[in-house]
Amino acid sequence: MRALLIFCGLAPVMALAAPVSFKTQIAPILRAQCQSCHGAQEAKGDYRVDSFTEVMRALEDEPARVLAAKPNESLFLKLLITADDAERMPQKADALPAKQIALIRQWIAEGAKFDGNNPKSTLAEIIPARKHAAAPAVYPRALPITALALSPDGKTVAASGLREITLWNLEGKIVRRIPNMAQRTFALTWLPDGKTLLAGGGIPGELGEVRAFTRAGELRAVVHQAADVVLDMQLDANATRLAVADAANAVTLYSPADFSRQRRIENHSDWVMAVSFSPDNRYLASASRDRTAKIFDLKTGDVFSTYGGHKTPVQGVAFRPDGKAVYTADRAGSIHLWETPPDIDGKRFGAKKVAEIGGLGADVFRLVRHGNEMLSHGSDGHARFFEAASRKSLRTMHHADGWVMSAAWHAPSARLVTGAHDGTVCVWEARTGKLLKQFDAWPQARR
């Protein structure tokens, strides 16, 4: 029996040391170090570690890789400590720190026990989450709407709140308040099945998070954590990858299937403000406060194109429909179109500005593209549609005298929602620009 000997005066007192916890100590190691290669989407060696059940599963005609109470006979541990670099896990990475290996060894020696609720749950779902303070019952004043998302059926609007997410119907009636969110929310997106809402934000200068909530408001998992707030979050065209941009100057890629981390890209010297996947899902473009925009090869994570034509922070980014050029927006009220190289295999290229759209107000916060139409919105209170291929102006909508800080576009129903600094949300007919509804998107004493 393990024990700690504590001396109180002359009498020794035996105190049992706490056993190693799978959900709080082992699962975070597996998620950070192992799951990207051994998860639901990619299972090298036909072995997965994305849940306790999978960690303990035995392959056909083979013993389990974790043998309870037998660490020295467990292949799982052997592969972590072997001196053979070709065999050691994780491959093509540094060996696990001695402290982490000791935890895994001790956990196996203690019987490789599970202390969560459901052994089939993903690692992200069982790792304990930080509990955030409750939102106020009513807001004393309007809060800027910094993030919006329309549900896949186009009937529900998710909006940022104070330490919460609020859900509304298109008539402006509140449907649900989702608690346990960090102080600020800057990015929202629904998974395609409409059952999970991803919310990105945090506490400025202290914490960045992406949390996954069910439609009923239950916390599923903390998908992403960083040292500063999450500023943008985008799914690729097939919803097989999630890109998270944060004020810790990084972009991190996750699998929406099990929330495993696939890659972290640290190439900017300041906040990453926005990200966009190319139409063919091979590349990712980023916009940064360091006044540059970049394109990354998603297969390798390497940067092969950097655009430095902006004189202010770059706040929005979107690929042209053909994927051969990129639009970026800045704080000077302009949108630049710059070319990506025509042949990028194994090479690095610079970037060249092709055209510019100006006169859009002091700030252009975001760019959103569906098909051959692109939307911009910014500090002059307007949302504008352009033809993405030709840059031709199509229609302009005036939301507020203050900043339009967020927008969500549901192409199948031709609905657009915009959120302003004054706490209002507008619902538009996207094809015509007709205003359908405006409402205050913050909980009040009487509604």
Side-chain angles (χ1 to χ4, degrees), residues 181 184-187 199-211 222-234 242-254 261 263-276 284-290 292 296 314-315 317 366:
M181 184 60 191
R184 304 294 303 276
T185 300
F186 296 104
I203 303 171
E206 178 183 331
L207 174 70
E209 284 187 331
V210 172
R211 293 193 163 210
V222 177
V223 180
H224 172 83
Q225 287 186 307
D228 212 334
V229 293
V230 169
L231 297 171
D232 193 25
M233 175 174 55
Q234 299 291 332
L242 174 74
V244 178
D246 59 40
N249 310 347
V251 177
T252 311
L253 298 170
Y254 293 91
R261 191 174 81 173
R263 187 181 300 280
R264 182 173 173 85
I265 301 173
E266 297 177 283
N267 198 274
H268 283 288
S269 61
D270 210 330
W271 299 357
V272 183
M273 308 287 287
V275 286
S276 176
L284 183 79
S286 61
S288 174
R289 199 170 70 160
D290 66 11
T292 70
F296 299 95
V314 190
Q315 302 186 134
V317 61
R366 283 287 186 268

Side-chain angles (χ1 to χ4, degrees), residues 344-387:
I344 58 174
D345 293 339
K347 300 178 182 179
R348 296 188 179 199
F349 295 81
K352 178 182 178 182
K353 185 166 78 170
V354 176
E356 181 175 341
I357 305 170
L360 304 178
D363 291 86
V364 180
F365 294 136
R366 283 287 186 268
L367 298 175
V368 184
R369 184 185 62 80
H370 279 296
N372 193 33
E373 288 197 8
M374 184 173 68
L375 173 79
S376 71
H377 61 86
S379 61
D380 66 349
H382 290 84
R384 295 177 171 89
F385 280 102
F386 300 90
E387 189 177 79

Side-chain angles (χ1 to χ4, degrees), residues 147-151 154-159 165-170 175 188 190 215 408 417 425 427 439:
L148 289 169
L150 275 163
S151 59
K155 297 179 180 180
T156 304
V157 182
I165 308 301
T166 55
L167 302 185
W168 310 78
N169 65 25
L170 297 187
V175 175
L188 290 166
W190 295 84
R215 198 179 185 107
V417 290
V425 165
V427 182
F439 60 92

Side-chain angles (χ1 to χ4, degrees), residues 106-152:
Q106 183 178 330
W107 171 69
I108 297 174
E110 292 173 345
K113 296 177 182 178
F114 179 69
D115 56 348
N117 293 323
N118 183 354
K120 294 183 179 180
S121 296
T122 66
L123 299 179
E125 291 172 322
I126 67 168
I127 296 172
R130 174 176 175 173
K131 181 72 174 178
H132 291 298
V138 296
Y139 291 14
R141 62 185 66 86
L143 191 75
I145 308 300
T146 51
L148 289 169
L150 275 163
S151 59

Side-chain angles (χ1 to χ4, degrees), residues 6 38 65 100 143-144 186 243 258 289 295 326 370 384 425:
I6 303 174
H38 299 279
R65 300 193 182 188
Q100 292 185 356
L143 191 75
F186 296 104
D258 58 8
R289 199 170 70 160
I295 301 174
V326 175
H370 279 296
R384 295 177 171 89
V425 165

